[in-house]
Each structure stands twice: as structure tokens, then as C-alpha cells.
């Protein structure tokens, strides 16, 4: 019989790539979708899988909806990807972030504990939990946490709740501590997609410049299509555990801009304007992950370089902007 998976956040970047990956492996895929005035199914459409997944209305803040979705679908695997995931927004909406990103995970854990304790659970943890650990140049599963935003704090609550439910109730709970991962399906507010969209518009004469905040910040950027494979691999291991998923290479926002603009033959210095409006109340200066454990135990490895990733994203945005302007 086909295995079944329930994905929260199925309409997001990772949810869409993961759904596609699991369908390819023969899974029956269900997803929880919060009600929006305009449907947010464009990523599922982009990947051509909208008709292949079962979508259930529900919000992570609503414990009855979480319980209902678990009871209705009786999944073998649950992937908790739903979240208010944008760091900058988490200062403007800290309570909503705590609710969806922090308590939402607990709602899913409780639903599983009561209605489907044999289900395996994946929690989307994040390198933002390391935050201020800049004196630790390479972050791994043993690096202490020091979140620097309401988002990071909420994710740390969800992370420890998953470990606590494993230790308290024997749930098969895994946490993937994923470093930044991007794709043509990345939300436009994140810096890589903001840059590739601007590169496309500037190249096509639709935009003049690009306003950014702290371009000296460093991130370990990978491709989302590679990273969702690690989520599935974690749940196939004999024991639940936590894994860092990263490329092991860190790059400044400035250098990422250089690569993206160079893809279309432009020099970023002619277009990028530093605008303090985009500075954050507290910054995470550097993230660099050590994926040795995921490499060794899962056999997972990042397959896409930053140059390839930026090229893929710029090309996709060029196509999008051309379609818009036709
Ligand atoms: P996205 O922001 O693209 O997707 C988030 C998803 O969560 C969307 O489907 C969104 O629905 C849904 N969602 C938001 N609020 C709620 C809610 N209250 N109830 C139910 N669903 C909700 O994030 P990504 O796909 O990039 O990331 C997936 C997960 O991994 C997130 O938890 C993120 O925090 C985490 N993560 C991401 C990293 C990255 O670099 N991408 C790095 C490390 C962790 P809608 O679209 O309708 O708003
Ligand atoms: P994050 O690592 O989850 O916060 O991912 P982002 O893509 O939002 O930000 C990555 C880094 O880029 C952070 O250090 C930001 O401060 C920095 N950055 C600089 N300018 C911008 C900008 O205009 N938008 C965003 N989103 N980030 C920016």
C-alpha cells in the first residue's frame, strides 16, 4: 500500500518541492492550507502537481483543525513546514509568529500524540536558532543556540517541543536544522529572490536600482530542491534524530548580488543602493553550517552551487517578467 504524508505549509516553497518529491516516490500526499482570500496554490501549479495532492483547509493556530487533519488523513509521515517564516516580519508580528511558528508545531505534536502516535514527525528547524553564535565559525548539531529574532525564538520552542515529545512520549520526532535554501519558488521578500527579480527587471528596463539592507551579512545558501530530499531521508532512519542541512560554504549578500548581476552581464555596483530602511533590529551576521552528520548518516549532500542557483533563479525571473510585460 502507498505510504501517506501530511504536509503543513504545502503551499510554501519547501512544501511544494517536498510534495513533488514524495509523489515521485509513490506517496499519497495531503496538505493543510490556511484559508486566504486569494488561494496561494501558485507554487503547486508551477510544479504541475496541484491536481495530485489532497488539500485540507486548516490553520496551525487552530488545534481542532490540526487534530481533524491528522484524524482524517491518518498519515505515516507528518512534515511540519507551515510557519510565518520571514524574519523581518517577526518583529512586526511577534505574537502571530509565536502562534503559527512556535505553538503551531505543538498543536501538530499533540494531534499526533493523541490520534496517530505511530506517525513519524519532521519539524522544520532553522539555522536562525544559532543566530548570534558568530564566534562559532562552523555551526553543527552541538552548537549552542542564541536566536536573534522573534522568529528564531519561536522556532527554538518548536525544536525543543519536538525533542521533548520524543523523550516524553516516544514519538518519532526529527528536526532538520536547515540553513537558507532558495529557488525560483522563494518568496519575493527574501533577499535572493528580491535580487534575482530586480536583476530581471533591470535587465529588461523595468527597474532602475535595487535597495538592500545589510549587504555584509553572510549566509550559507543552498537549493530547496536538494534540501527537501534530506527531510524525507531523516524519517527513513531507524532512530529519530536532529541534523544540520547546509552546503558548508558562506557568502556575503554583496557577493551573491555580484553573481546574480554577472549572470546577465551587469555589474551590481551600478545598481545596488544600501538603504537603512532594510536594517533589522538585531542582525545574524554569519551563518555557516557543517553538514558532516547528514553527509555521513543520511548520505545527503548539497548538489547545487550558488552560481548554479542564482543562474536558475535569474533565468526563471527573466521568463516571469517577460510574460508579465507581454
Ligand atoms: P514559506 O514561507 O515559503 O512557506 C510557509 C508555508 O506556511 C506557506 O504554505 C504558508 O501558507 C504556511 N503558513 C503560514 N502560516 C500558517 C498558519 N498559521 N497555518 C498553516 N499554514 C501556515 O517557507 P519555506 O517553504 O521557505 O520554509 C518551510 C519551513 O522551513 C518554514 O517553517 C520555514 O520557517 C522553515 N525554514 C526555511 C528555511 C529556508 O531557507 N527556506 C530555512 C530553515 C527553515 P500561505 O502561503 O498561505 O501563507
Ligand atoms: P534570513 O536569513 O532568513 O533572514 O533570510 P533573508 O533572505 O530574509 O535575509 C538574509 C540576509 O540578507 C539577512 O542578513 C538580511 O539582513 C540581509 N539583507 C540585506 N538586505 C536585505 C533585503 O533587502 N531584504 C532581505 N530579506 N534581507 C536583506
Amino acid at each position: 500500500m502507498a505510504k501517506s504524508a501530511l504536509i503543513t505549509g504545502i503551499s510554501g516553497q519547501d512544501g511544494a518541492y517536498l510534495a513533488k518529491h514524495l509523489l515521485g516516490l509513490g506517496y499519497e500526499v495531503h496538505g493543510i492550507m490556511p484559508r486566504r482570500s486569494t488561494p496561494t496554490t501558485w507554487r503547486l501549479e508551477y510544479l504541475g502537481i496541484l491536481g495530485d495532492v489532497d488539500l485540507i483547509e486548516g490553520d496551525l493556530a487552530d488545534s481542532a483543525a490540526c487534530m481533524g487533519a491528522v484524524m482524517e488523513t491518518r498519515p505515516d509521515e507528518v512534515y511540519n513546514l507551515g510557519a510565518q517564516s520571514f524574519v523581518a516580519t517577526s518583529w512586526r508580528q511577534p505574537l502571530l509568529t509565536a502562534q503559527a511558528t512556535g505553538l503551531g508545531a505543538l498543536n501538530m505534536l499533540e494531534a499526533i500524540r493523541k490520534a496517530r502516535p505511530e506517525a513519524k514527525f519532521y519539524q522544520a528547524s532553522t539555522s536562525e536558532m544559532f543566530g548570534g553564535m558568530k564566534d562559532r565559525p562552523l555551526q553543527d548539531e552541538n552548537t549552542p543556540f542564541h536566536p536573534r529574532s522573534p522568529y528564531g525564538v519561536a522556532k527554538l520552542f518548536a525544536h525543543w517541543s519536538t525533542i521533548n515529545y520524543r523523550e516524553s512520549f516516544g514519538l518519532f520526532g526529527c528536526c532538520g536544522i536547515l540553513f537558507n535554501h532558495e529557488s525560483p519558488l522563494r518568496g519575493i521578500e527574501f533577499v535572493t529572490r528580491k535580487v534575482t527579480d530586480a536583476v530581471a527587471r533591470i535587465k529588461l528596463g523595468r527597474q532602475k536600482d535595487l535597495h538592500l539592507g545589510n549587504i555584509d551579512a553572510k549566509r550559507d545558501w543552498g537549493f530547496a530542491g536538494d534540501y527537501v530530499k534530506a527531510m524525507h531521508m531523516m524519517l527513513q532512519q531507524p532512530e529519530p534524530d536532529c541534523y544540520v542541512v547546509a552546503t558548508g560554504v558562506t557568502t556575503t549578500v554583496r557577493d551573491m548580488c555580484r553573481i546574480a548581476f554577472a549572470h546577465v552581464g551587469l555589474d551590481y555596483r551600478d545598481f545596488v543602493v544600501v538603504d537603512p530602511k532594510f536594517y533589522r533590529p538585531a542582525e545574524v551576521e554569519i551563518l555557516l553550517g557543517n553538514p558532516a552528520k547528514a553527509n555521513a548518516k543520511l548520505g545527503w549532500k548539497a548538489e547545487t552551487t550558488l552560481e548554479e542557483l542564482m543562474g536558475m533563479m535569474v533565468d526563471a525571473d527573466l521568463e516571469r517578467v517577460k510574460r508579465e510585460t507581454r
Side-chain angles (χ1 to χ4, degrees):
M1 224 172 77
K3 275 197 197 173
S4 75
L6 175 63
I7 304 175
T8 75
I10 194 168
S11 61
Q13 169 187 259
D14 291 8
Y17 278 113
L18 178 65
K20 177 146 181 136
H21 181 56
L22 295 180
L23 287 167
L25 295 173
Y27 279 62
E28 190 182 283
V29 177
H30 309 273
I32 298 181
M33 291 267 296
R35 193 257 164 196
R36 304 283 190 239
S37 64
T38 307
T40 52
T41 47
W42 66 272
R43 294 183 175 96
L44 298 168
E45 276 172 53
Y46 184 98
L47 295 179
I49 56 167
L50 181 55
D52 303 326
V53 294
D54 168 43
L55 300 177
I56 301 160
E57 188 179 302
D59 194 294
L60 281 165
D62 186 329
S63 57
C66 295
M67 174 67 83
V70 171
M71 288 175 75
E72 189 182 323
T73 59
R74 303 184 55 74
D76 299 304
E77 297 173 8
V78 177
Y79 295 87
N80 185 41
L81 311 185
Q84 189 304 95
S85 71
F86 187 43
V87 170
T89 289
S90 76
W91 279 285
R92 291 188 286 266
Q93 300 191 56
L95 298 183
L96 176 123
T97 304
Q99 192 88 43
T101 308
L103 290 176
L106 192 55
N107 280 336
M108 290 306 295
L109 285 163
E110 266 297 288
I112 292 167
R113 178 171 85 86
K114 293 201 177 115
R116 189 72 174 158
E118 62 273 50
K120 295 179 175 179
F121 180 77
Y122 173 86
Q123 169 57 24
S125 291
T126 166
S127 53
E128 288 290 326
M129 300 185 315
F130 297 128
M133 283 288 132
K134 64 179 173 186
D135 51 332
R136 300 274 186 133
L138 195 58
Q139 293 130 3
D140 65 18
E141 294 80 4
N142 299 314
T143 304
F145 297 120
H146 180 167
R148 296 263 290 166
S149 62
Y151 168 77
V153 173
K155 279 288 185 183
L156 198 50
F157 173 83
H159 180 82
W160 280 113
S161 296
T162 303
I163 294 170
N164 179 254
Y165 270 52
R166 185 205 296 163
E167 293 175 355
S168 306
F169 305 116
L171 291 193
F172 193 104
C174 292
C175 299
I177 308 174
L178 270 54
F179 282 61
N180 298 52
H181 46 281
E182 321 293 313
S183 74
L185 301 186
R186 186 60 143 151
I188 195 85
E189 66 276 35
F190 292 89
V191 73
T192 53
R193 195 52 222 299
K194 183 173 170 182
V195 168
T196 61
D197 177 69
V199 167
R201 288 179 194 283
I202 290 169
K203 182 70 183 172
L204 296 170
R206 302 271 150 180
Q207 189 171 319
K208 286 200 163 37
D209 53 18
L210 167 62
H211 287 235
L212 293 176
N214 177 12
I215 60 174
D216 294 316
K218 290 179 154 182
R219 289 293 181 272
D220 179 333
W221 281 294
F223 171 47
D226 294 343
Y227 284 39
V228 298
K229 294 180 190 163
M231 299 176 184
H232 174 256
M233 286 169 166
M234 283 176 216
L235 297 198
Q236 312 316 309
Q237 301 307 305
E239 299 296 333
D241 207 344
C242 301
Y243 299 86
V244 158
V245 176
T247 67
V249 177
T250 194
T251 309
T252 57
V253 171
R254 183 193 300 277
D255 260 344
M256 179 270 290
C257 289
R258 184 183 53 70
I259 295 167
F261 278 88
H263 186 69
V264 295
L266 298 176
D267 185 333
Y268 81 97
R269 290 171 297 188
D270 297 333
F271 305 99
V272 169
V273 178
V274 172
D275 185 341
K277 188 170 92 183
F278 295 106
Y279 289 167
R280 294 171 175 188
E283 179 61 283
V284 172
E285 296 294 345
I286 175 166
L287 290 174
L288 172 59
N290 177 1
K293 180 174 171 184
N295 293 165
K297 290 205 164 174
L298 304 179
W300 178 89
K301 206 168 156 303
E303 288 161 19
T304 313
T305 65
L306 186 58
E307 282 75 10
E308 289 165 344
L309 176 62
M310 288 296 108
M312 181 198 313
M313 291 174 68
V314 169
D315 289 344
D317 276 322
L318 281 168
E319 281 312 305
R320 274 199 193 103
V321 177
K322 278 182 201 157
R323 268 201 309 274
E324 265 174 33
T325 51
R326 251 175 224 148

